[in-house]
Amino acid sequence: MPNTSKNSQKNTPAPAIRAYLGGSFDPVHDGHLQMAMTVYQRLLPIAKQQQRALHVSLLPNARSPFKEKSTAPKHRLAMLKLATLNTPLQINELELWQTPPVYTIDSVRTLRQRYPHDSLIFIIGMDSALSLSKWKNGLELTYYVNLWVFNRDDLSDINHKNNRLLATTTHCANKTLVAQDTMNLHIQLPAQLQSLRIDAPIDLLQPTSQASTDSRLLKNTHQGHIYIDSRPIATISSTQIRQQLQPTDNRSNIISAAARQMTSIAPINDIIDNTAPNPLAKWLNPAVYQYIIAHQLYSAAQFR
């Protein structure tokens, strides 16, 4: 008679690795994709070695509690689908269709209930990590998920740091600079979170085999960790892009605001060829840029 218990254990898949990048994605831009793809590329070799499924998802929100308005969910979802086409990135609609405000703490609690044994990672920028005390129960996120924190800088800071690394002559010197940057970022974290920092992404992937699906018990059985990725990621603001896409021509109202937008934005070929005069527009996927033009998004007329 076959040993069914052994067969059952053999067929049970290893806990998956799930990482989420939340945001309004209004609009989604290459800065978002850079963060998500960096996490995917860093975790993929580990996932293969451990024979675990890897899912890296963009998690669009219904509307940020810190924003008064945002583009309709259907448009933001359509742009996300265009931006992630032909990439390994996924889209999770958990928050998108909920009535705002929707809080991150509720979402990570739901994800932990849904995937009690998987390794869950929430991706944020250092600016968000430093403001977690202002979020609803923000300092409790690590009860349910691990945090992957990126050091997001403006482009001039990135060029300065890259030049500093290139100026060093040894691998050890580079490692020392990275370690110094990481430590500087670490001490900026809220005091309650500083003891949770780990040194390598693999330390985020310890399966939570004792996690309970009872939300009242989760925080007693799971304690997440924080990995600080000190490699600079450009801070490209969706707000800046929206402002650049709005018409700036203050001519008479003979032409509608939407029509003025159509005549003032960069041609799509300039975006594709990376020759557009507006540097922010270069951070948009060409298909997303075309969608914005076709649906006249981010014009003054949109919010009337």
Side-chain angles (χ1 to χ4, degrees):
M1 184 174 180
N3 188 329
T4 55
S5 61
K6 288 186 178 180
N7 290 339
S8 176
Q9 291 178 359
K10 184 177 181 180
N11 294 330
T12 301
I17 303 168
R18 302 179 186 275
Y20 302 89
L21 173 62
S24 60
F25 303 108
D26 193 12
V28 58
H29 53 69
D30 288 352
H32 297 132
L33 302 182
Q34 183 182 1
M35 291 174 69
M37 283 301 302
T38 296
V39 171
Y40 181 87
Q41 291 165 353
R42 293 286 302 277
L43 292 180
L44 184 59
I46 302 173
K48 288 182 175 179
Q49 182 181 26
Q50 297 182 355
Q51 297 183 327
R52 301 171 65 180
L54 173 62
H55 308 275
V56 177
S57 303
L58 303 181
L59 183 70
N61 56 32
R63 188 187 73 222
S64 168
F66 302 108
K67 297 179 181 178
E68 295 181 358
K69 59 187 178 182
S70 61
T71 304
K74 66 176 184 179
H75 289 311
R76 291 187 286 122
L77 179 59
M79 289 187 285
L80 280 170
K81 290 180 178 179
L82 291 171
T84 56
L85 192 65
N86 300 321
T87 77
L89 302 179
Q90 303 173 18
I91 302 169
N92 187 300
E93 300 179 32
L94 171 65
E95 297 185 353
L96 188 61
W97 307 108
Q98 297 184 48
T99 301
V102 179
Y103 296 100
T104 301
I105 189 65
D106 297 324
S107 297
V108 297
R109 185 184 294 113
T110 297
L111 291 169
R112 175 53 65 194
Q113 291 173 319
R114 188 174 295 176
Y115 307 112
H117 304 299
D118 292 351
S119 297
L120 303 186
I121 300 170
F122 200 76
I123 307 164
I124 60 175
M126 184 50 115
D127 53 337
S128 295
L130 297 181
S131 65
L132 283 178
S133 61
K134 300 178 182 179
W135 296 24
K136 179 184 177 182
N137 300 334
L139 297 178
E140 298 179 9
L141 291 182
T142 52
Y143 289 171
Y144 309 100
V145 297
N146 302 286
L147 298 182
W148 188 310
V149 181
F150 276 101
N151 177 27
R152 301 203 298 178
D153 291 320
D154 62 34
L155 295 178
S156 60
D157 288 338
I158 288 178
N159 291 334
H160 171 73
K161 290 184 177 182
N162 286 340
N163 290 337
R164 185 180 61 161
L165 289 174
L166 289 173
T168 60
T169 57
T170 67
H171 177 67
C172 290
N174 283 347
K175 289 184 66 176
T176 300
L177 288 175
V178 170
Q180 290 174 349
D181 287 342
T182 301
M183 183 54 62
N184 290 336
L185 294 170
H186 169 232
I187 61 178
Q188 297 179 48
L189 288 173
Q192 302 94 312
L193 302 180
Q194 291 188 13
S195 64
L196 303 180
R197 186 180 71 88
I198 47 84
D199 295 322
I202 194 171
D203 295 328
L204 300 176
L205 306 182
Q206 300 301 321
T208 55
S209 58
Q210 296 181 345
S212 167
T213 56
D214 186 340
S215 61
R216 296 170 300 176
L217 303 178
L218 283 173
K219 65 181 181 181
N220 296 324
T221 57
H222 176 80
Q223 179 62 73
H225 296 285
I226 300 174
Y227 172 65
I228 299 178
D229 196 327
S230 62
R231 293 169 304 172
I233 297 292
T235 301
I236 305 299
S237 167
S238 292
T239 301
Q240 291 176 308
I241 291 178
R242 289 197 305 272
Q243 291 172 346
Q244 289 290 332
L245 291 173
Q246 290 179 7
T248 57
D249 188 353
N250 292 322
R251 292 174 296 176
S252 65
N253 291 328
I254 297 176
I255 307 176
S256 68
R260 290 201 305 273
Q261 179 196 31
M262 297 290 285
T263 60
S264 64
I265 56 182
I268 186 63
N269 287 340
D270 290 349
I271 302 300
I272 296 174
D273 296 336
N274 203 32
T275 59
N278 177 5
L280 291 176
K282 297 176 183 179
W283 287 84
L284 290 173
N285 179 294
V288 171
Y289 193 73
Q290 284 185 311
Y291 186 93
I292 290 172
I293 296 173
H295 293 83
Q296 299 180 356
L297 301 182
Y298 311 118
S299 67
Q302 179 191 3
F303 298 114
R304 288 181 178 176

